[in-house]
Amino acid sequence: MCGITARVGTEDASESLVCSLENLEYRGYDSAGIAVKNGTGLKIQKREGEVSELKAAMAGSGIVGDVGIGHTRWSTHGPPTNENAHPHVDCSGRVAVVHNGIVENHAELRRDLEARGHTFRSDTDTEVVPHLVEERLDAGDDSETAFRAAIDELEGSYALAMLHEDADTVFATRTGSPLVLGIGEDANYLASDVPAFLEFTSRVVYLEDGDVAVLSADDYRITDADGFEVSRPVEAVDWAAEDAGKGEYDHYMLKEIHEQPTSLRQTIQGRLDGDDVVLSEFPAGSFSEVSRVHFVACGTSYHAGLYGESLFADWDVDAQTFLASEYAAHPPAVPEDTLVVGITQSGETADTLAALEAAADAGARTLALTNVVGSTAARECDDALFIRAGPEIGVAATKTFSSQVATLVCLGERIARDVTGSPTPDHAARLDALADLPEHVEAVLESSTAADVAARHAHESGHFFIGRGSAYAVALEAALKFKEITYEHAEGFAAGELKHGPLALVTADTPVFAICNGNNEAKLASNVREVQTRGGPVVGVCPRTSDALADAADEVLTVPATHPDLVAILANVQLQLVAYHAANDLGRPIDKPRNLAKSVTVE
């Protein structure tokens, strides 16, 4: 959701704070602001709109300081206005705070503070924090004691960073929202996510729930909720700074679509050994006690789970996919021999974390399938398996979906061998195809005519995507991607369900994208004719060898012929390109779709 950052050094922090906020805009871009301490009090600049608006306002403003905090906002409490932009201050302007998350008891705290004479300037839940700190300072507490006393009164999910005009430090804490320290040579950093400061340092410390960090220019100290000093490991992030930039591409999304061959190579590296899967985290027998698998996830990760479920079913592994928010609210029966796999790119998705917690409380074994090594999910689950896709900045997930599915193929092979006692059917051919997947994605990217297809169909009134099995999961994902960035109506359906209702929506202005994974081709071709009979244009997305669908469709986007279990990954790349080019033709802000943020850290 929101992104927070901080820097403490011996030189001006304002420029690097703005740079970090630009790197964090995928977490929110409704408004942005910074606060710096320069020896004469706190100086604050904040603006409604994107970070570029803040940057323009700061030009020539003379705002400098060697200690500072920053924020880019995804609105929850109060509309995106200058007044609601962070940082927020107390009545006297001595304290400034930035916040990611939700203070659930803010209304009660606000009423009490107003009754005691405090004046509020915003509609946000965050503003209670500096006023709580102010009261403790007025009572004689030092900065850190006042900060601790304030956070003790908060309920909810939050990551906070605070400046006080009399302290050359930044105070920070987290409970349920991510926060990571960056340890530099001549400055120390703080942010919601590593890409914020990746060009300044690659040495990081992941804070845990309840941690309180105090950062100075040349040191940092971490204590737990009770004030006892704790040690958290310093880790080296193996992402390069350029990995988090756009490079030669107009948008992060297009860059990340084209990074899929690289991300897939990273995903499968060292995990394939001929006709066997080698997962160092899970040697043979690791899942011998598992009888069923529950996938819990949200959005694109949920579709990856559905893809995995369709494969696991073919391999005699009992698997079911749940929306994490529903799983947490209404947990199903979870016998002790259940493995609950939380699929989450960031490892910080609040609904998925809640679902994993519910599963653990029920006695299930939990596994995080994530992209971020130090994430909450990776730390709190019994096990973790990393997709190794590299940083993904675009709000619309692309390369992480393909890496999630590829990782699920490896995990499924390991689980199936442990559960059934033998490899999956056709495993050698599938694993050979998985090894070839990066080259097959490159072939799609080099030969795709998706831009032409998008130009013909971008302006039509609705867009439908259909498929069966793994192709149904991709139909849902393709529709999500299309609606996320084009703002046009799009829906995904199981192909066999068309005649049970959705066919009523088909007109000459509603193109249908029919996705074939190499299985059930004749049935899908029949569904295509059902659409055409009602006047709907059909775009087939299929292997080059799928003659039946190619003959039935009005136009075709082809992918290399490979193992049927992997074809839909290639089809998804074509449909990512369709969505991208349609959004570009429509003039949409592709990397910053309205109302959305990359990492959803509130329920």
Side-chain angles (χ1 to χ4, degrees):
M1 309 300 268
C2 303
I4 68 175
T5 191
R7 181 189 184 277
V8 188
T10 56
E11 298 178 352
D12 179 38
S14 58
E15 185 175 339
S16 60
L17 286 172
V18 172
C19 177
S20 292
L21 292 179
E22 289 176 324
N23 293 341
L24 283 176
E25 267 198 294
Y26 60 90
R27 297 184 65 90
Y29 32 85
D30 291 342
S31 58
I34 68 166
V36 296
K37 175 183 176 296
N38 63 4
T40 60
L42 302 183
K43 300 297 181 183
I44 296 173
Q45 185 71 265
K46 54 186 185 177
R47 281 292 184 274
E48 174 187 348
E50 298 179 5
V51 175
S52 58
E53 299 293 330
L54 171 67
K55 196 171 183 178
M58 289 179 58
S61 66
I63 292 182
V64 295
D66 53 10
V67 183
I69 57 176
H71 188 273
T72 181
R73 184 172 185 241
W74 188 86
S75 304
T76 54
H77 292 77
T81 63
N82 288 346
E83 292 76 15
N84 288 332
H86 297 216
H88 291 289
V89 298
D90 64 319
C91 294
S92 63
R94 291 176 295 168
V95 175
V97 171
V98 292
H99 166 224
N100 170 36
I102 291 179
V103 178
E104 293 176 355
N105 61 334
H106 73 98
E108 175 187 346
L109 292 171
R110 185 176 184 133
R111 283 194 301 269
D112 292 345
L113 286 162
E114 287 177 331
R116 296 196 293 269
H118 291 264
T119 300
F120 284 75
R121 302 177 179 86
S122 77
D123 302 316
T124 69
D125 55 334
T126 306
E127 197 181 351
V128 300
V129 180
H131 291 284
L132 290 171
V133 173
E134 178 186 22
E135 287 198 332
R136 301 300 304 187
L137 292 171
D138 289 344
D141 286 350
D142 60 62
S143 302
E144 183 175 347
T145 303
F147 181 66
R148 285 183 173 278
I151 62 178
D152 281 346
E153 296 196 47
L154 305 182
E155 298 174 4
S157 167
Y158 51 82
L160 289 161
M162 184 190 85
L163 284 185
H164 179 227
E165 66 178 10
D166 293 334
D168 293 323
T169 51
V170 169
F171 304 91
T173 189
R174 63 154 287 177
T175 294
S177 292
L179 205 55
V180 58
L181 308 184
I183 312 305
E185 293 295 328
D186 51 11
N188 288 318
Y189 302 85
L190 174 85
S192 299
D193 206 353
V194 171
F197 50 68
L198 195 54
E199 57 205 87
F200 306 119
T201 182
S202 61
R203 298 174 65 232
V204 304
V205 176
Y206 293 97
L207 298 184
E208 299 186 11
D209 277 356
D211 283 354
V212 174
V214 181
L215 279 74
S216 59
D218 56 2
D219 199 9
Y220 67 93
R221 176 170 49 87
I222 304 172
T223 54
D224 63 17
D226 297 319
F228 295 104
E229 194 156 335
V230 294
S231 177
R232 304 292 183 220
V234 179
E235 302 179 30
V237 177
D238 60 2
W239 298 344
E242 55 268 24
D243 291 341
K246 282 190 290 191
E248 63 186 24
Y249 294 93
D250 292 333
H251 299 94
Y252 283 111
M253 182 180 179
L254 186 61
K255 173 177 180 279
E256 287 157 4
I257 290 172
H258 281 265
E259 284 177 341
Q260 285 176 105
T262 298
S263 63
L264 284 166
R265 289 188 183 98
Q266 293 169 177
T267 296
I268 63 178
Q269 184 178 18
R271 290 174 170 171
L272 302 180
D273 182 12
D275 62 354
D276 197 5
V277 166
V278 179
L279 298 178
S280 59
E281 305 90 339
F282 304 110
S286 295
F287 301 104
S288 57
E289 302 301 319
V290 171
S291 67
R292 64 187 54 78
V293 177
H294 288 177
F295 296 119
V296 292
C298 307
T300 289
S301 295
Y302 172 72
H303 300 151
L306 288 174
Y307 198 127
E309 177 188 330
S310 71
L311 300 183
F312 280 38
D314 291 339
W315 304 339
D316 292 327
V317 176
D318 182 2
Q320 191 172 358
T321 309
F322 298 85
L323 289 165
S325 55
E326 290 299 307
Y327 195 96
H330 306 286
V334 185
E336 290 185 3
D337 54 2
T338 301
L339 174 68
V340 179
V341 180
I343 307 175
T344 161
Q345 185 280 134
S346 66
E348 305 290 350
T349 309
D351 288 324
T352 305
L353 293 175
L356 289 166
E357 182 179 1
D361 289 344
R365 178 180 173 183
T366 57
L367 187 155
L369 194 144
T370 183
N371 196 34
V372 181
V373 172
S375 62
T376 301
R379 292 198 311 270
E380 295 189 354
C381 283
D382 296 314
D383 300 294
L385 183 60
F386 299 103
I387 68 171
R388 307 192 303 208
E392 184 176 69
I393 305 302
V395 170
T398 51
K399 67 179 182 178
T400 52
F401 176 83
S402 56
S403 286
Q404 284 171 340
V405 174
T407 305
L408 284 171
V409 172
C410 295
L411 178 64
E413 184 68 38
R414 176 74 275 148
I415 292 175
R417 293 185 186 211
D418 287 349
V419 170
T420 68
S422 59
T424 62
D426 203 24
H427 68 282
R430 184 186 307 105
L431 296 181
D432 283 346
L434 184 59
D436 292 337
L437 189 60
E439 286 71 29
H440 287 157
V441 172
E442 283 181 341
V444 171
L445 294 170
E446 290 170 359
S447 62
S448 177
T449 58
D452 296 332
V453 172
R456 285 190 286 275
H457 298 295
H459 297 272
E460 292 180 298
S461 61
H463 304 78
F464 302 137
F465 301 81
I466 63 173
R468 294 170 182 265
S470 60
Y472 169 52
V474 165
L476 295 175
E477 170 60 13
L480 174 63
K481 212 58 57 212
F482 199 92
K483 70 182 73 172
E484 276 182 315
I485 62 170
T486 69
Y487 309 158
E488 299 298 317
H489 180 66
E491 295 292 340
F493 302 109
E497 287 298 297
L498 271 182
K499 54 187 172 293
H500 297 291
L503 207 54
L505 300 174
V506 171
T507 71
D509 296 321
T510 54
V512 176
F513 293 80
I515 307 160
C516 178
N517 60 10
N519 293 326
N520 302 301
E521 186 177 353
K523 289 183 178 180
L524 187 61
S526 177
N527 298 138
V528 165
R529 293 187 181 93
E530 291 172 348
V531 171
Q532 292 170 325
T533 299
R534 277 77 182 174
V538 176
V539 180
V541 188
C542 59
R544 297 187 182 113
T545 54
S546 295
D547 295 334
L549 185 60
D551 291 342
D554 298 298
E555 52 187 322
V556 178
L557 290 169
T558 62
V559 301
T562 186
H563 195 283
D565 288 348
L566 303 181
V567 167
I569 297 176
L570 302 175
N572 190 59
V573 175
Q574 287 281 26
L575 294 169
Q576 288 171 349
L577 291 168
V578 169
Y580 171 83
H581 289 294
N584 203 36
D585 289 348
L586 292 165
R588 308 300 192 218
I590 291 171
D591 286 332
K592 301 173 184 178
R594 67 188 179 202
N595 304 331
L596 301 179
K598 180 71 173 172
S599 181
V600 184
T601 57
V602 296
E603 294 183 69

